[in-house]
Amino acid sequence: MALFDRLKDQAKNLQQQAQGGRGTTTGGAGHGGSHGSRGGSRAQLVGVLKTQLGSLKTELKSGAYRDASMAMCALVAAADGHVDAAEIQQMESLILGNDVLQNFPPEQLRTRFHKHVDQLTRNFPQGKAEALQEIAKAAKKPTEARAVIQTGIVIAGADGHFSQAEQSILREACATLNLQPAEFQL
């Protein structure tokens, strides 16, 4: 737990630094002022979380983490209710390029990701429920549970934009894992 506390403090310090520089930032066009004004702190958060995940790489080798992360990535991809081929390809590229997820064979990641995307595309409410059940399996190990959320945030933030739908999915995943969304600035 000491490592996590230290990482949490780093994220909190970054958030405080970002809040100090918010006065000159304007809301993103068409995305709402509060979302746009946090763009800088979100980008910094993604960077910090990516570093934190990298430092935990040797601990994140379980099948539960792999499966929950792929369910999380599929939920992020389908957060707005649909997924197109370009989005799937981009998400797959992000997954396969993720340092921590390289602990697993690429074909295992692809298979699990596509299984969830197919379920979400066919019947979003049912696919979402199944993905959240998969995510819930990581709740037994707090480090893995937090890493699943961190992975989701890193993947969602890779394009520099957090949609309200992505934030909502991430908050639901936090609830599934008995984690506080505020811990991740959600």
Side-chain angles (χ1 to χ4, degrees), residues 108-127:
Q108 287 181 6
L109 299 174
R110 267 192 205 96
T111 299
R112 284 159 176 81
F113 173 69
H114 284 280
K115 176 189 96 169
H116 286 291
V117 168
D118 291 345
Q119 291 170 333
L120 289 159
T121 303
R122 215 173 316 119
N123 181 336
F124 186 79
Q126 182 179 349

Side-chain angles (χ1 to χ4, degrees), residues 7-25:
L7 296 175
K8 199 162 95 171
D9 288 341
Q10 288 173 347
K12 188 181 281 187
N13 289 340
L14 265 179
Q15 181 182 17
Q16 290 169 347
Q17 289 171 3
Q19 286 173 344
R22 275 195 207 167
T24 59
T25 309

Side-chain angles (χ1 to χ4, degrees), residues 36-170:
S37 67
R38 294 191 65 171
S41 63
R42 288 278 187 218
Q44 288 176 327
L45 175 64
V46 168
V48 168
L49 293 179
K50 207 172 190 178
T51 301
Q52 289 174 0
L53 282 169
S55 70
L56 296 172
K57 182 175 180 174
T58 58
E59 295 178 49
L60 299 173
K61 293 185 176 182
S62 77
Y65 169 72
R66 176 201 57 210
D67 297 350
S69 291
M70 290 305 92
M72 184 79 258
C73 289
L75 278 172
V76 166
D80 61 0
H82 72 281
V83 186
D84 60 35
E87 195 173 6
I88 290 172
Q89 186 175 0
Q90 178 187 14
M91 187 66 69
E92 193 174 295
S93 174
L94 290 169
I95 290 167
L96 297 178
N98 182 286
D99 189 43
V100 176
L101 293 174
Q102 289 177 3
N103 280 336
F104 308 102
E107 203 47 48
Q108 287 181 6
L109 299 174
R110 267 192 205 96
T111 299
R112 284 159 176 81
F113 173 69
H114 284 280
K115 176 189 96 169
H116 286 291
V117 168
D118 291 345
Q119 291 170 333
L120 289 159
T121 303
R122 215 173 316 119
N123 181 336
F124 186 79
Q126 182 179 349
K128 180 178 165 185
E130 290 176 19
L132 288 171
Q133 283 179 336
E134 194 73 54
I135 289 168
K137 293 177 184 175
K140 295 173 188 166
K141 295 183 180 175
T143 299
E144 288 184 6
R146 285 180 175 83
V148 168
I149 299 300
Q150 291 171 324
T151 299
I153 292 170
V154 167
I155 295 294
D159 63 359
H161 175 72
F162 275 94
S163 72
Q164 291 298 322
E166 289 169 338
Q167 290 179 52
S168 178
I169 285 290
L170 287 161

Side-chain angles (χ1 to χ4, degrees), residues 172-186:
E172 284 185 64
C174 283
T176 299
L177 293 167
N178 299 314
L179 298 172
Q180 294 300 316
E183 182 178 326
F184 304 96
Q185 299 181 22
L186 295 171

